[in-house]
Amino acid sequence: MPLISGKRAFLELLRQEGIEILFGNPGTTELPLMDALAVVPELRYVMALQEAAVLAMADGYAQASGKLAFVNLHIAPGLGNAMGMLYDALKAGSPLLITAGQHDQSFTASEPILWADLPTIARPLVKWSAEVHRLADLPRLVHRAAKTALAPPTGPVFLSLPADVLNAEADLELGAPTRVAPALRGDAAAIAAAAQLLAAAERPVLIAGDGVAKSRAQGELAALAELLGAPVWLEGVPSTASFPASHPLYRGAMTRAQAAIREILVQHDVLFSVGGDLFTLSLPSDVEPVPAGLKIIHLDTDPWEIGKNYPTEIGILGDPKATLPELTAAVASRMSALQRARAQDRLAATSRANAAQVAEIKARAAAEAGKTPIRPLALLNAIGEALPRDAVVIEETISSAPGLRQLIRSEDPQSFFGIRGGGIGWGLPAAIGAKLAQPARPVVALVGDGSAMYTCQALWTAARQRVAVTFVILNNRSYRILKQRTNALKAHAAQTDRYVAMDLDDPPIDYVGLARSLGVAAERATTLDAAIALLKRGLGSDAPLLIDVAIDPAFKPV
Ligand SMILES: Cc1ncc(C[n+]2csc(CCOP(=O)(O)OP(=O)(O)O)c2C)c(N)n1
Ligand SMILES: [Mg+2]
C-alpha cells in the first residue's frame, strides 16, 4: 500500500459510498478537506451561506434521491447553526452523513476557540455520533456511519473529524461499503393474524405513513386498500406522497387534533398503520384520540413506532413493499363472497365521499378566485391546475396549507416533500437539494414569508449552482398561524386585538429585492393571474425564479 493522507483517504471513502455532492460551509478546521478537494474535481462542493441552509439542502437532496447525502460543517458553531434543520431531518428519517471539522487533538485540552465536544452536541438528534481519533480508524468509522444512516430505519449520523487525523499519512486499507438489505419481509405468523383481522373487519381504515413512499410501496398499499374498500389517510404531518392524491380511496392527511382524530376513528373497527406515526399531535387535550375497542395493526421498519402510544394488536417489523403483497394475498384468500361484496360497497361509498370533499374544496377555491388580496385556497387551486404532471412540490405553507393535499397533485412517491419536523426554514434550501437530486423534473417550493427568512441565504446557492427552482413566497406579512392560534385562546390578545411579535409588515420585507441581491430573478404578484403567469415562466426557465405573492393576511375565523 502506498502512503495516503487522511484527507485524500476521506474523499476516496466518500466516493466509495456513492457520494457525488458535498454540502457544506467551510472554516479553519475544514481546511484540510478543502485543500484535498482542490485535486478531486469529481466531487462537487455545494456551498451554502449558513449551516441551517446547508443541512436542509442536504436533507432535500437525500429525500428526493433516496440516497445518502453528505454534509460538512464548521466545528461547534457550525453544528449549532444546523441543529434546527437536523431535527427536521431526523424526524423525516433522512439518511445524512454529517461531519464537522475538529481541532488537532494535541491542542484540544487547552480549549481553543470554536472547540466543543462535538459528538455530544449532535447525539440527541442522530442515530450514531462519534469522533475519529486515529487515521487507522477512519475507513471503518466512515463505512459504519454510511451503513448506519442507510440501514432501516434510515436517519442522520454524525462524525467529528480532527485536523490531525486528516493531515496524517499512513498505509491505509480503505475497506468497502456495507449495506443492510432493506426489503425485510414481516413475520409470517403475524401477517397471517393481521390478514385474519383485516378480512373480518367491517369498517377498516388505513394510514399511510411516509415509510410507504420511502419503500416505494404506493401500488402495494393501493391493492390492499382496494381489496378492503378502506379509506386511506396520510399520517398526521406527512412529508411525502405516500398515497396517490388522485386515488378514489385517498382521504388526505390525518388531523393533529385529538378530538378530530377520534371523530374519524370512531367510524372504524380496525386500523392498519403502514409506517405512520400514531399520532403526530400539536397541543394537549383531554380527548383520547383512539376510541376503546378499535383494533390496531401496525407495520413499520422502526420497532419504536409500533405500539409507541397505543396498545397494538399485531405489530409487524418489516418493509412495506416487501411485506404488503403477502398480506394482501392472505387477506384475499380469507375473504368470503359476502365480505368482498361489502368491501366493494365501502369502496364505492368512500369514493363518493372523497369526490364530494374535493368538489367542495374546489368550489370554495373557485368562489375565492376573484377576491383581492389573493386568498390562499384560490392560489393553491390555481397552482395545482398549472403544475405539470412531473412537478416536484416542496411544501412549507404553514397556515395556508388547508386544502393543499387535495388541490396540489402528489402522485408518485418522489413528487411531494413537506416539512416533517416543524422547525421552519426548511423549504427554500430543501427545494434546492431536491432539484439537485432530480434535475429533470420541475421543482416548485411553496413557502410562507416568515419561514423563508430563516434560510433565505439559500437563494444565493440556487443562483451560484444554476439550480432552476421556482420559489413561491406566500406573503401575508405575518406569522399568521401564530395569530390564528393566539386568537383561538380567546384571552387577552383576542380581547385587545394585539398580537405581539407576529407582524412582518413594518417595515415590509422586500423579497424581490432580497432575491435579486442574491442573484435570483424575482417578481411580485398581487393578482392570481399574475402569480400563475410567473409560475409558468419559472417552470419553463433554466434559472431560479422567486415569486413574491401577496396573499390575504386575515386570520380570524369568519
Ligand atoms: C425554527 C422555528 N422557529 C420558530 C417557529 C415557530 N413558528 C411556527 S410557524 C411560525 C410562523 C410561520 O410564518 P409563515 O411562514 O409566514 O407562515 P404563516 O403562518 O404566515 O402562514 C413560527 C415563527 C418554528 N416552528 N420553528
Ligand atoms: Mg406569513
Side-chain angles (χ1 to χ4, degrees):
M1 282 292 290
L3 273 185
I4 185 167
S5 64
K7 58 193 182 182
R8 293 294 303 276
F10 182 70
L11 296 182
E12 190 47 41
L13 291 165
L14 294 186
R15 285 188 356 162
Q16 283 187 0
E17 293 291 352
I19 299 295
E20 291 165 356
I21 298 179
L22 285 69
F23 295 94
N25 183 272
T28 42
T29 45
E30 292 70 47
L31 295 185
L33 262 195
M34 306 317 286
D35 178 52
L37 279 169
V39 290
V40 188
E42 319 80 89
L43 283 172
R44 179 176 180 187
Y45 192 97
V46 172
M47 172 167 63
L49 305 183
Q50 215 274 12
E51 289 83 356
V54 171
L55 206 115
M57 225 173 268
D59 183 5
Y61 178 85
Q63 290 196 51
S65 66
K67 295 196 293 198
L68 181 69
F70 176 82
V71 174
N72 186 235
L73 302 168
H74 180 47
I75 194 164
L79 176 58
N81 280 348
M83 291 295 274
M85 296 298 100
L86 176 55
Y87 178 84
D88 287 348
L90 174 70
K91 287 290 167 176
S94 278
L96 299 182
L97 170 49
I98 301 161
T99 61
Q102 177 58 292
H103 278 295
D104 187 301
Q105 292 173 91
S106 67
F107 187 45
T108 49
S110 71
E111 300 196 351
I113 189 165
L114 301 163
W115 177 84
D117 180 20
L118 300 181
T120 301
I121 297 175
R123 191 158 290 128
L125 300 184
V126 293
K127 286 178 76 178
W128 182 60
S129 189
E131 188 161 86
V132 185
H133 296 295
R134 306 182 311 153
L135 177 53
D137 295 328
L138 185 71
R140 171 171 290 139
L141 296 184
V142 171
H143 289 312
R144 185 188 298 168
K147 182 263 319 189
T148 302
L150 286 165
T154 57
V157 298
F158 177 79
L159 274 186
S160 163
L161 303 172
D164 53 299
V165 171
L166 296 180
N167 287 326
E169 292 193 339
D171 289 338
L172 211 54
E173 182 55 62
L174 292 184
T178 297
R179 293 291 180 262
V180 178
L184 177 69
R185 290 170 68 169
D187 179 274
I191 290 172
Q196 192 68 38
L197 210 53
L198 285 168
E202 287 174 10
R203 288 160 283 118
V205 60
L206 304 186
I207 292 189
D210 291 333
V212 177
K214 277 192 210 153
S215 93
R216 311 278 187 260
Q218 283 186 334
E220 289 78 2
L221 186 62
L224 178 64
E226 288 159 22
L227 178 67
L228 293 169
V232 181
W233 296 84
L234 305 178
E235 67 175 307
V237 184
S239 70
T240 63
S242 272
F243 202 69
S246 64
H247 195 283
L249 289 168
Y250 172 82
R251 299 297 283 131
M254 185 52 75
T255 98
R256 305 169 203 180
Q258 290 85 337
I261 295 173
R262 188 181 176 93
E263 235 171 79
I264 293 167
L265 297 186
V266 288
Q267 301 167 38
H268 299 285
D269 59 349
V270 177
L271 180 158
F272 179 31
S273 168
V274 185
D277 176 23
L278 303 183
F279 290 93
T280 311
L281 304 171
S282 186
L283 291 168
S285 159
D286 292 337
V287 176
E288 179 53 63
V290 175
L294 181 74
K295 293 198 164 77
I296 298 178
I297 308 168
H298 194 141
L299 166 66
D300 212 298
T301 55
D302 187 355
W304 178 258
E305 294 299 330
I306 299 173
K308 183 174 73 176
N309 291 308
Y310 306 101
T312 294
E313 205 97 351
I314 300 160
I316 311 173
L317 184 65
D319 173 70
K321 195 177 184 74
T323 304
L324 284 171
E326 188 177 330
L327 176 62
T328 304
V331 173
S333 72
R334 280 170 173 79
M335 281 172 87
S336 66
L338 183 63
Q339 283 168 333
R340 280 173 187 274
R342 292 212 170 120
Q344 287 315 300
D345 291 346
R346 291 193 294 262
L347 177 68
T350 303
S351 306
R352 280 195 299 275
N354 186 31
Q357 186 195 20
V358 173
E360 186 270 323
I361 294 171
K362 280 202 149 287
R364 265 195 291 135
E368 300 201 330
K371 293 187 179 162
T372 312
I374 300 171
R375 302 298 195 266
L377 195 69
L379 179 66
L380 294 180
N381 189 36
I383 292 174
E385 286 174 358
L387 285 180
R389 297 186 75 79
D390 61 342
V392 178
V393 174
I394 303 295
E395 192 262 322
E396 189 175 37
T397 58
I398 317 292
S399 76
S400 299
L404 186 139
R405 296 305 301 249
Q406 276 76 25
L407 296 173
I408 303 279
R409 280 172 53 83
S410 54
E411 296 299 305
D412 70 88
Q414 282 163 297
S415 61
F416 186 98
F417 300 95
I419 178 172
R420 181 70 183 86
I424 60 176
W426 174 85
L428 291 187
I432 295 166
K435 179 70 179 174
L436 286 166
Q438 298 202 48
R441 294 177 71 160
V443 173
V444 177
L446 308 177
V447 179
D449 56 329
S451 299
M453 286 311 294
Y454 290 76
T455 49
C456 54
Q457 306 90 335
L459 293 170
W460 181 84
T461 304
R464 165 93 182 166
Q465 300 281 339
R466 316 280 188 276
V467 184
V469 172
T470 305
F471 303 98
V472 179
I473 307 296
L474 289 88
N475 189 353
N476 49 29
R477 293 194 173 159
S478 60
Y479 290 161
R480 181 168 169 260
I481 190 94
L482 300 186
K483 289 185 169 186
Q484 287 177 335
R485 293 281 183 96
T486 314
N487 180 259
L489 297 176
K490 296 191 173 69
H492 300 301
Q495 278 153 23
T496 59
D497 207 27
R498 270 195 80 217
Y499 295 84
V500 176
M502 298 177 192
D503 283 305
L504 305 174
D505 59 342
D506 182 17
I509 296 164
D510 174 10
Y511 288 88
V512 172
L514 174 70
R516 288 181 184 166
S517 78
L518 295 168
V520 170
E523 301 291 344
R524 182 161 165 87
T526 54
T527 66
L528 210 47
D529 288 349
I532 298 308
L534 285 166
L535 176 68
K536 288 181 176 159
R537 184 174 119 195
L539 289 167
S541 167
D542 56 7
L545 176 70
L546 180 139
I547 310 167
D548 174 26
V549 185
I551 60 165
D552 189 10
F555 63 94
K556 291 178 191 163
V558 278

